[in-house]
Amino acid sequence: MENFDYKKMILEHDDLQASYDDYKKTILKNDDLQKYIYETSAYPKEHEQLKKLREATMEKYGVWSNMTLPVDEAQFLSMFVKIMNAKKTMEIGVFTGYSLLTTALALPEDGKILAIDSDKDAYEFGLPYIKKAGTEHKINFVASDASSVLNDLVNSGEEGTFDFIFVDAWKNEYLKFHELTVKLVKVGGIIAYDNTLWYGSVAQAEKEVEDEFIRSFRNFVVEFNNFIAADSRVESSILSIGDGVTLCRRLR
């Protein structure tokens, strides 16, 4: 997740490993049903290098490996990119690269991804799996904050040139990013924003959200969802997969 200092968070919260289940990146609370979806549909079709990357990320990052895209959402993302026939894409927020590798595998051989994240170390942790999957040539990784890169793209004439943009970054930045991504994606193109149901907290009153981490970003997600619902530049849909993903199709 772009601009997220998970290393500092881990050091400040020694008890997080014990609360792994509390930070599952899925709103589906029926564990048996989640297991059924994973074992029946997602795991059997998961690419070997995706599986290895997911397992290695979990081993290294513990509870914060939950920033990785859930396997069923990744399966949806892969199919969606293929249905769109996307070739020029962007990802804001990379972490160790599970969603990035998912997209790279789905793109044609001449497809390209501009991947933006300030944490180069996490990306480089996942890079060996990307290389083994034969997709490194599709990826242009930029170690930077996303806002400066997006502004540079707008100022350099890249408006309306991206087929698909996937955003999984700091939630208090989503509104700012949207004003730039909606310019960069082509008319008819798609922007996908991850975690827009934010552990289900968007349906709770703020005072009812007990977890401090979840509560600290809950209002930003609510504000973003309300803004998108009223934004005449896009048509949108919130999908109840993973932790919620909002698809925005640019209209004009």
Side-chain angles (χ1 to χ4, degrees):
M1 192 161 59
E2 199 265 346
N3 285 342
F4 178 64
D5 192 348
Y6 57 84
K7 298 172 186 174
K8 179 180 178 182
M9 185 70 73
I10 289 171
L11 290 172
E12 291 178 349
H13 297 273
D14 294 335
D15 62 329
L16 281 176
Q17 185 61 48
S19 59
Y20 183 91
D21 287 347
D22 294 335
Y23 291 93
K24 283 183 179 178
K25 202 176 180 184
T26 175
I27 61 167
L28 188 60
K29 300 305 180 184
N30 185 316
D31 290 341
D32 289 338
L33 184 55
Q34 186 72 75
K35 181 180 179 182
Y36 174 82
I37 293 171
Y38 282 174
E39 294 184 350
T40 303
S41 178
Y43 287 153
K45 298 179 181 179
E46 185 180 28
H47 190 280
E48 179 184 8
Q49 294 306 319
L50 282 172
K51 179 182 178 181
K52 289 182 177 180
L53 174 57
R54 173 172 56 82
E55 292 174 344
T57 299
M58 183 177 294
E59 182 178 352
K60 179 176 177 61
Y61 292 96
V63 65
W64 295 111
S65 65
N66 278 323
M67 292 192 295
T68 297
L69 203 68
V71 183
D72 54 340
E73 185 179 347
Q75 187 179 47
F76 166 78
L77 175 63
S78 174
M79 186 179 296
F80 190 69
V81 169
K82 292 172 184 174
I83 291 171
M84 287 183 63
N85 293 316
K87 290 185 68 174
K88 183 177 180 180
T89 72
M90 183 193 306
E91 179 161 328
I92 302 172
V94 174
F95 191 38
T96 62
Y98 189 89
S99 56
L100 179 63
L101 178 53
T102 296
T103 302
L105 287 165
L107 289 175
E109 273 301 302
D110 60 345
K112 298 297 179 184
I113 312 170
L114 174 60
I116 309 166
D117 200 304
S118 57
D119 187 354
K120 188 176 181 180
D121 289 343
Y123 169 72
E124 290 184 340
F125 175 80
L127 187 55
Y129 304 93
I130 291 171
K131 289 180 176 179
K132 288 178 182 177
T135 58
E136 185 186 11
H137 66 285
K138 301 179 185 181
I139 298 167
N140 175 23
F141 177 78
V142 179
S144 173
D145 68 283
S147 293
S148 60
V149 177
L150 295 174
N151 277 299
D152 286 347
L153 289 169
V154 169
N155 294 332
S156 61
E158 291 287 330
E159 290 192 28
T161 64
F162 287 85
D163 301 313
F164 176 70
I165 300 175
F166 183 73
V167 184
D168 183 7
W170 222 213
K171 310 314 166 192
N172 57 325
E173 302 284 339
Y174 271 23
L175 276 175
K176 180 171 65 175
F177 291 159
H178 182 68
E179 290 305 319
L180 297 167
T181 57
V182 78
K183 295 177 181 178
L184 292 166
V185 76
K186 70 181 184 182
V187 173
I190 300 290
I191 314 165
Y193 294 96
D194 202 24
N195 304 113
T196 51
L197 294 178
W198 198 238
Y199 302 96
S201 66
V202 294
Q204 298 176 277
E206 183 181 5
K207 63 182 179 181
E208 296 175 350
V209 182
E210 296 180 359
D211 184 275
E212 180 182 355
F213 172 70
I214 295 174
R215 187 174 62 250
S216 64
F217 292 97
R218 179 254 180 205
N219 287 351
F220 292 113
V221 179
V222 170
E223 181 184 11
F224 175 76
N225 288 342
N226 291 340
F227 181 89
I228 293 297
D231 188 353
S232 63
R233 297 168 296 180
V234 299
E235 60 177 330
S236 63
S237 176
I238 299 177
L239 305 182
S240 54
I241 188 171
D243 190 29
V245 58
T246 296
L247 302 181
C248 297
R249 176 175 175 267
R250 183 179 172 183
L251 298 175
R252 55 181 174 81

